[in-house]
């Protein structure tokens, strides 16, 4: 019988960098932009986990905490949209954040059938610590790229737009 990880568990970080193995033929993979991005993402995740190790937060959960903090009262559906999640994924994410006492659901004063998401005092403290660490993590990466960093970030944003537009055309 295989055991699956509970849906509210922090995703495991990659075990090791996804670096080329000497002597291994990667074929078309070496030519693909997507595979280069996958290698970079793997390394970024590892570095993120090192920077936030004892705080029990994945990059996705950090992003959700930031979005709720910057948009008090946001609806869970909007969080799902902003993060590219299905509604069920946003529900699990919101449940995880509320279980830790970092986010709370509050009824809408104007419509009792609706509620919004708000950071708690503990969530604000956690976000302050996380933001400081994640900014330091990002600044180390950016400084390693030097003057190319700003251009790379802009190019990645544009690449995401192109890929999303291609997806909509199908």
């Amino acid at each position: 019988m295989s055991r699956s990880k509970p849906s509210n568990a922090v995703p495991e970080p990659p075990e090791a960098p996804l670096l080329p193995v000497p002597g291994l033929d990667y074929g078309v993979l070496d030519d693909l932009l997507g595979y280069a991005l996958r290698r970079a993402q793997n390394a970024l995740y590892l570095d993120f986990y090192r920077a936030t190790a004892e705080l029990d937060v994945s990059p996705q959960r950090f992003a959700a905490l930031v979005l709720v903090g910057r948009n008090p009262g946001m609806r869970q559906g909007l969080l799902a949209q902003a993060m590219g999640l299905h509604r069920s994924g946003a529900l699990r994410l919101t449940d995880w954040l509320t279980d830790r006492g970092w986010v709370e659901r509050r009824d809408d004063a104007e419509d009792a059938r609706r509620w919004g998401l708000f950071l708690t005092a503990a969530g604000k403290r956690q976000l302050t610590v996380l933001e400081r660490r994640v900014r330091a993590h990002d600044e180390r990466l950016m400084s390693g790229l030097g003057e190319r960093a700003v251009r790379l970030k802009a190019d990645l944003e544009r690449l995401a737009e192109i890929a999303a537009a291609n997806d909509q055309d199908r």
Side-chain angles (χ1 to χ4, degrees):
M1 169 190 248
S2 70
R3 288 190 288 166
S4 61
K5 189 183 337 183
S7 63
N8 63 348
V10 173
E12 290 293 320
E15 292 183 19
L18 187 61
L19 298 174
V21 175
L24 189 62
D25 182 355
Y26 283 84
V28 69
L29 295 176
D30 282 335
D31 299 331
L32 300 176
L33 178 61
Y35 195 70
L37 286 170
R38 175 70 182 105
R39 283 185 174 158
Q41 180 188 31
N42 172 274
L44 293 171
Y45 262 64
L46 284 168
D47 196 50
F48 180 95
Y49 278 102
R50 282 189 294 270
T52 62
E54 73 282 0
L55 300 175
D56 194 32
V57 175
S58 67
Q60 183 183 53
R61 291 171 179 165
F62 169 69
L65 203 56
V66 169
L67 289 169
V68 172
R70 299 293 297 182
N71 302 278
M74 80 182 305
R75 308 266 186 261
Q76 187 173 291
L78 184 57
L79 179 64
Q81 181 183 354
M83 296 191 62
L85 298 172
H86 291 286
R87 293 178 71 88
S88 61
L91 174 64
R92 285 191 301 276
L93 184 55
T94 302
D95 285 347
W96 189 90
L97 294 168
T98 58
D99 288 349
R100 270 135 198 89
W102 298 346
V103 170
E104 63 186 2
R105 294 174 173 103
R106 290 188 206 155
D107 290 334
D108 187 317
E110 297 175 12
D111 185 349
R113 297 169 296 175
R114 302 180 76 153
W115 48 265
L117 301 171
F118 295 84
L119 287 185
T120 62
K124 289 175 185 176
R125 288 190 301 274
Q126 185 73 357
L127 182 55
T128 298
V129 171
L130 280 165
E131 282 183 339
R132 186 174 57 249
R133 291 199 186 179
V134 172
R135 280 188 187 275
H137 147 82
D138 196 66
E139 287 168 8
R140 281 191 310 276
L141 296 170
M142 297 289 276
S143 69
L145 288 169
E147 62 188 41
R148 296 179 300 177
V150 173
R151 176 59 189 243
L152 176 61
K153 185 176 180 307
D155 286 346
L156 290 172
E157 293 290 348
R158 179 67 183 129
L159 182 61
E161 291 171 7
I162 292 167
N166 287 343
D167 190 45
Q168 290 175 352
D169 291 342
R170 292 183 187 161

